[in-house]
Structure formats: structure tokens, C-alpha cells
Amino acid sequence: MRYQNRYQPDLSRWVVIDTFLNDQVLGLHQTELQSVIHAETQERHWGLYRSPAEDVALIMG
């Protein structure tokens, strides 16, 4: 899964990160449910718009 949720205790927030972009932060959320919804939405969008070249890169990498 490209997008992951992590709890940051120092921020007291749930963070949605993009693991393909060196753990770039995409959002901060108060609850785990909000972060899960955000990550799943991002995952669906990425699946719709990614190119076949990305699939080849994943297989080769």
C-alpha cells in the first residue's frame, strides 16, 4: 500500500504519508478513522490515474 497511517505521539496526531515519495506527509488528523479514510481515498485515486510505466517500475524495483 502506497499510503500509510502513523501515529505521531509528539504531535498527538495521525499522519498520512506517501511511502513512494520518501514519506511525504499528506495530512494530519485528530482521529485514526479520519486518517484511514484519507489514505484509502488517496490509494483509490492513485490506482485510477497511475500509468503502466509505474507498474513496470514497481516490478523491476
Side-chain angles (χ1 to χ4, degrees), residues 34-53:
Q34 291 172 330
S35 68
V36 168
I37 291 169
H38 183 185
E40 288 176 351
T41 302
Q42 291 292 93
E43 194 76 33
R44 273 195 309 276
H45 288 158
W46 176 65
L48 290 173
Y49 299 111
R50 73 178 183 210
S51 70

Side-chain angles (χ1 to χ4, degrees), residues 22-42:
N22 296 324
D23 293 345
Q24 178 182 359
V25 174
L26 299 176
L28 298 171
H29 300 280
Q30 296 273 357
T31 66
E32 183 179 13
L33 179 60
Q34 291 172 330
S35 68
V36 168
I37 291 169
H38 183 185
E40 288 176 351
T41 302
Q42 291 292 93

Side-chain angles (χ1 to χ4, degrees), residues 54-61:
E54 289 182 70
D55 291 330
V56 172
L58 287 173
I59 292 168
M60 300 302 286

